[in-house]
Amino acid sequence: MTTRPTLRPLDDALTELLAHASPLPGMQHISTFDADGRVLAQDLVSALHVPPQDNSAMDGYALRCADVSQSGAVLPVLQRIPAGASAQPLAPGSAARIFTGASVPLGADAVVMQEDCEVVEGGGNHVRVMRVPPVGQWIRRAGEDIERGTTVLQKGQRLSPASLGLAASIGLAHVPVAPRPKVALFSTGDELVMPGEVPPEHMKPGSIYNSNRFFLRALLARLGCEVTDLGIVPDDRQATIDALKSAAAHHDLILTSGGVSVGEEDHIKPAVQALGELSLWQIAMKPGKPFAYGRICRGDSACHFIGLPGNPVSSFVTFVLLVRPFVLRLQGMTDVAMQSIAARADFTWAKADKRREFLRVRRNVDGGLDLFDNQSSGVLTSTVWADGLVDNPAGQTIARGDVVRFVGLGALVG
């Protein structure tokens, strides 16, 4: 009697997987314009205050509060200060016309916005202040956003569009980033056909279009990887060995989908073992039980190997939950943990499973979660319809109104 392998908890599998993901050596300096999604290789420290000097938060008039003890005070306007111009010290008993972002003149301690002032008709260049300001009103202080010497972005942090703006605000035209992982991608299976090669009406019985290759390639690219698409490898052991050996020579990671079960036509396991070492894991998650990690030897070093299940939803879910954090850790990213929030289930799930389940759901206008009708691992439409996953513990049912853990897909696919 054959003993079934023990199912490994997802969290344990991820911990072991990340233990193998040492950051890739080296560093690149690239244009800040081109750094979206890349991972910082060094801390970014500001060499200046931001803003560099006190400036106005409004269009209006800069003045001394001591000169406006009551509303209706009239002051001569002795200078005009647009953004980018140098300001002269403010003479006592006067005001300066000032615009948003302009430097506050020395001596001024408040800005009154123009809506609270009146230009004095026929009185020369004078302004009547209709509201008594408190000290500091509408002044953005030097260093209010960033003080000189502050670390604004940390090593191991993935850059976002907002991060690029922050780097630019401290004068950085280039930023130091981790190298992009070089990933070889291929699929296995004689049943696979590439879209465009065979029209639907001429598909042979048992053939399917290779969908996994498209979304895996896109997901890798979004993570900053340099992807080499090696296409479809036939269900042949020697062909699989040759493809793996060739790919390992010039890549940091080989990612495959399909062929990681234990059937007679699943050649990935013996092929990787012939070239290095393989751990074939049965993970206690649904969808996505079969998963493989290994290393393929290449002289004094090795290339990482990850094998995903062939069912498209299983491949998608195992990628976002396991491969994504692995790839980000290769780039030195420190915080790769999956984030979840509490949400209300507006559905019932009466079929408790022995495995931890990830149910495809979508938020509704009432703030709850709707469930996709068909949770099969082959229904790729569920991943397009859904905007998140319910992380449902093993052995647990869900009643309408229950609080569940919601994992947003938006943060996992980019």
Side-chain angles (χ1 to χ4, degrees):
M1 181 176 179
T2 303
T3 303
R4 290 186 175 182
T6 302
L7 297 182
R8 175 172 295 197
L10 174 60
D11 291 341
D12 291 352
L14 179 58
T15 297
E16 182 173 338
L17 184 65
L18 292 179
H20 294 288
S22 298
L24 299 173
M27 179 174 63
Q28 301 171 327
H29 283 83
I30 65 172
S31 168
T32 305
F33 275 123
D34 300 325
D36 184 34
R38 301 294 293 273
V39 178
L40 276 176
Q42 292 179 338
D43 291 347
L44 299 188
V45 179
S46 180
L48 76 165
H49 287 319
V50 179
Q53 59 275 319
D54 292 356
N55 69 87
S56 178
M58 288 285 177
D59 291 346
Y61 295 86
L63 45 76
R64 299 171 187 265
C65 291
D67 293 332
V68 186
S69 58
Q70 59 184 8
S71 62
V74 176
L75 300 173
V77 180
L78 301 184
Q79 60 177 309
R80 183 178 185 273
I81 314 171
S86 297
Q88 299 300 315
L90 186 71
S94 72
R97 181 72 167 111
I98 196 167
F99 297 89
T100 302
S103 297
V104 175
L106 183 67
D109 57 9
V111 172
V112 179
M113 61 182 177
Q114 61 191 19
E115 291 85 352
D116 291 333
C117 298
E118 293 178 355
V119 175
V120 177
E121 297 293 338
N125 197 8
H126 287 70
V127 65
R128 179 177 288 109
V129 182
M130 306 306 297
R131 190 183 297 273
V132 177
V135 173
Q137 176 176 276
W138 300 125
I139 294 177
R140 296 185 291 214
R141 297 299 183 185
E144 181 179 292
D145 185 9
I146 302 166
E147 292 186 353
R148 184 184 298 109
T150 300
T151 298
V152 297
L153 295 167
Q154 294 182 329
K155 176 183 178 180
Q157 186 170 347
R158 194 173 181 216
L159 294 168
S160 67
S163 303
L164 304 186
L166 189 57
S169 76
I170 62 171
L172 296 181
H174 294 81
V175 289
V177 296
R180 300 173 63 188
K182 296 178 180 179
V183 182
L185 173 68
F186 67 81
S187 304
T188 65
D190 290 340
E191 75 280 10
L192 297 176
V193 176
M194 281 298 292
E197 292 181 352
V198 180
E201 63 271 19
H202 294 155
M203 289 278 281
K204 295 179 180 179
S207 295
I208 57 172
Y209 287 121
N210 185 0
S211 60
N212 295 15
R213 183 172 164 189
F214 286 81
F215 66 73
L216 291 175
R217 179 172 171 173
L219 288 167
L220 288 166
R222 287 190 176 193
L223 292 175
C225 299
E226 294 182 12
V227 183
T228 304
D229 190 338
L230 299 180
I232 301 170
V233 175
D235 282 329
D236 175 82
R237 183 166 302 182
Q238 190 57 50
T240 305
I241 290 174
D242 292 343
L244 290 169
K245 186 175 182 179
S246 175
H250 304 290
H251 294 87
D252 303 304
L253 168 66
I254 298 171
L255 181 67
T256 69
S257 64
V260 294
S261 294
V262 291
E264 293 180 3
E265 296 302 318
D266 293 324
H267 299 294
I268 289 291
K269 180 180 179 180
V272 174
Q273 289 174 327
L275 298 170
E277 57 185 11
L278 181 75
S279 297
L280 186 62
W281 301 340
Q282 299 289 302
I283 300 179
M285 62 181 289
K286 182 180 181 181
K289 183 172 68 173
F291 183 89
Y293 170 78
R295 292 162 63 86
I296 296 173
C297 297
R298 53 178 186 195
D300 295 335
S301 62
C303 174
H304 299 288
F305 168 83
I306 293 179
L308 302 180
N311 280 326
V313 180
S314 299
S315 188
F316 180 87
V317 172
T318 50
F319 184 97
V320 297
L321 297 185
L322 290 163
V323 180
R324 180 181 185 274
F326 183 86
V327 167
L328 291 174
R329 186 60 61 83
L330 287 181
Q331 298 175 71
M333 186 169 173
T334 51
D335 185 9
V336 297
M338 176 179 67
Q339 302 296 320
S340 64
I341 61 172
R344 184 188 71 246
D346 287 348
F347 62 88
T348 59
W349 185 251
K351 302 174 288 184
D353 197 273
K354 64 181 180 180
R355 289 180 281 167
R356 182 176 174 182
E357 296 180 282
F358 290 90
L359 307 173
R360 277 81 74 201
V361 296
R362 185 165 69 184
R363 288 167 291 191
N364 57 44
V365 295
D366 297 320
L369 303 175
D370 295 328
L371 183 73
F372 193 77
D373 289 339
N374 189 338
Q375 293 289 316
S376 169
S377 61
V379 181
L380 195 56
T381 48
S382 66
T383 62
V384 177
W385 177 89
D387 62 9
L389 305 169
V390 165
D391 182 359
N392 192 42
Q396 183 165 307
T397 60
I398 301 172
R400 184 179 295 270
D402 283 353
V403 175
V404 296
R405 302 308 302 174
F406 173 78
V407 180
L409 281 174
L412 297 179
V413 298

